[in-house]
Amino acid sequence: MGLLNNKVERSAIKPGDHIYTYRAVFTYSHHGIFVGGNKVVHFRPERNLNSSAGTSSDSDFYDSTLSLPSSCCTFPDCGFRKPNSCVVLSCLDCFLGNGSLHRYKYGVSPSVFLAKARGGTCSIAKSDPPEAVIRRALYLLQNGFGNYDVFENNCEDFALYCETGLQIVDRKKKTDNGKTGGSSRKEVKQGVGSSGQASAVIGAPLAAILSSPLKWLIPSPVGVATVTAGMYCLNRYANDIGVRDDVIKVTVEDLAGK
Ligand SMILES: [Zn+2]
């Protein structure tokens, strides 16, 4: 297994592992928690959740590429979800579709983290024991994980939370006083979610990076490509839940019991 490849065989994954697969020809990955018994708990947009409140292009995008088979012939409970919940139980085959299986890495060193070519494949944060991870995933399957948001609350955030119990403080505050409804969620500061995918897409202002203590990590800017790659990596580093100072451990009961 190479440094840049987390691909694993099915026989190699264990209950409690954070797994992911690439969809739509490598444009993004879909994440979930393997809970054993050939089952995966994952977080995906609820197809009809927001249909009456205008359309979201994010959801449309995910719906068109992420749709699971409506009937699974292997497991009768495949596709189980609570009403209005975005947390789904699927069998491994339906979760993967035609994609290959990868395992997310935890507790990697900063140098390995920065060497990864793609966001959303590893974290500096350490994962909790498998029993705790599975317990969180199954609890959230019963109690929900809030609304799906491609940037602030996506499948990778869900899996990251199950593995580490870490939540970004700002997001929690936002949820607590989110009386103004959905639009207020867009005002969350640029820190957005903890997932590598979202931070890779959004990027951070160059000035913010240059003024950060991480600036010494930027290679000499010999070209635009170098600078861009450096910014990309640094932004991922600054957003990783393993190094952020605005993350706290939240019990699954506190998270779901709102
Ligand atoms: Zn299935």
Side-chain angles (χ1 to χ4, degrees):
M1 195 184 311
L3 180 67
L4 297 174
N5 190 357
N6 293 343
K7 195 170 172 182
V8 290
E9 295 299 322
R10 288 182 182 219
S11 55
I13 57 171
K14 294 187 287 297
D17 277 353
H18 173 171
I19 59 173
Y20 61 96
T21 182
Y22 286 107
R23 302 284 180 120
V25 200
F26 273 50
T27 51
Y28 69 94
S29 50
H30 186 55
H31 298 246
I33 300 293
F34 182 66
V35 294
N38 213 33
K39 295 286 170 54
V40 183
V41 176
H42 56 121
F43 189 58
R44 64 179 294 268
E46 163 72 69
R47 193 177 295 270
N48 298 314
L49 200 59
N50 297 313
S51 58
S52 58
T55 55
S56 151
S57 55
D58 295 337
S59 297
D60 290 347
F61 168 71
Y62 268 70
D63 264 358
S64 62
T65 50
L66 241 180
S67 43
L68 298 168
S70 54
S71 63
C72 171
C73 29
T74 321
F75 294 96
D77 57 346
C78 180
F80 167 85
R81 74 165 94 215
K82 288 281 191 177
N84 292 333
S85 170
C86 298
V87 183
V88 191
L89 181 77
S90 295
C91 73
L92 187 59
D93 295 287
C94 292
F95 174 80
L96 292 175
N98 296 321
S100 52
L101 175 62
H102 299 253
R103 178 165 48 207
Y104 206 91
K105 285 193 178 133
Y106 285 88
V108 302
S109 70
S111 61
V112 169
F113 183 81
L114 289 170
K116 288 281 181 183
R118 284 177 163 273
T121 62
C122 62
S123 174
I124 293 163
K126 289 199 166 49
S127 57
D128 286 331
E131 311 81 60
V133 174
I134 294 168
R135 184 175 160 273
R136 286 187 191 115
L138 295 179
Y139 189 93
L140 294 172
L141 179 66
Q142 295 297 328
N143 295 277
F145 189 63
N147 289 333
Y148 189 97
D149 185 292
V150 68
F151 291 123
E152 289 163 27
N153 202 33
N154 65 30
C155 55
E156 188 183 351
D157 294 317
F158 171 81
L160 279 167
Y161 172 73
C162 289
E163 291 286 339
T164 65
L166 295 173
Q167 274 283 298
I168 294 167
V169 182
D170 267 7
R171 181 192 306 176
K172 188 164 181 297
K173 262 188 258 164
K174 212 71 188 178
T175 315
D176 285 343
N177 57 22
K179 299 188 192 87
T180 48
S183 63
S184 69
R185 287 186 298 127
K186 294 295 177 198
E187 293 160 20
V188 176
K189 67 178 178 67
Q190 69 203 21
V192 294
S194 53
S195 74
Q197 289 194 86
S199 46
V201 170
I202 290 182
L206 180 60
I209 288 174
L210 292 176
S211 65
S212 82
L214 296 166
K215 65 185 173 193
W216 58 271
L217 282 168
I218 294 186
S220 62
V222 291
V224 174
T226 312
V227 175
T228 307
M231 284 174 63
Y232 169 81
C233 289
L234 286 170
N235 185 38
R236 277 180 53 219
Y237 183 81
N239 273 303
D240 188 76
I241 55 173
V243 297
R244 292 177 71 128
D245 58 6
D246 58 348
V247 293
I248 52 168
K249 207 89 169 174
V250 180
T251 68
V252 71
E253 288 81 6
D254 282 349
L255 189 79
K258 292 209 170 64

